[in-house]
Amino acid sequence: MPQVFRPDKQDGVGELVITDDQGRQRREVVHGDQYPAQMAAFSAWARGEGPAPDAPTELIDQARLIEACRRSLHDVVIVSL
């Protein structure tokens, strides 16, 4: 993830590089600034005009994603030793 977390620092463009089990890579570009988007989502929720920003199902999905990343990192470290 060379520039995904701070697209606001890269002229509004973030990039994900995804490698599958066969070693094939694909790039996905993310546009925008995440901080104003977060504030807009929270504001909409606070006004009763949108869903809660972090619904329980989203939190569970985020926890699963973080765990998958942790396992993947562990596998890479073990394999590279």
Side-chain angles (χ1 to χ4, degrees):
M1 295 184 263
Q3 301 172 356
V4 72
F5 292 108
R6 292 300 309 264
D8 58 310
K9 298 287 187 182
Q10 319 297 331
D11 294 324
V13 179
E15 180 182 25
L16 286 160
V17 179
I18 301 164
T19 305
D20 66 16
D21 292 339
Q22 287 76 38
R24 295 177 298 216
Q25 289 189 343
R26 78 175 194 272
R27 297 181 185 283
E28 293 189 14
V29 177
V30 180
H31 296 277
D33 186 335
Q34 65 204 33
Y35 299 110
Q38 289 173 347
M39 291 305 300
F42 178 80
S43 296
W45 168 77
R47 292 188 308 267
E49 298 170 358
D54 290 322
T57 55
E58 289 180 21
L59 295 173
I60 291 167
D61 289 343
Q62 289 174 16
R64 287 181 179 141
L65 176 62
I66 291 168
E67 177 60 17
C69 290
R70 187 196 64 76
R71 280 193 316 267
S72 178
L73 177 61
H74 181 264
D75 292 346
V76 169
V77 170
I78 297 298
V79 170
S80 65
L81 294 177

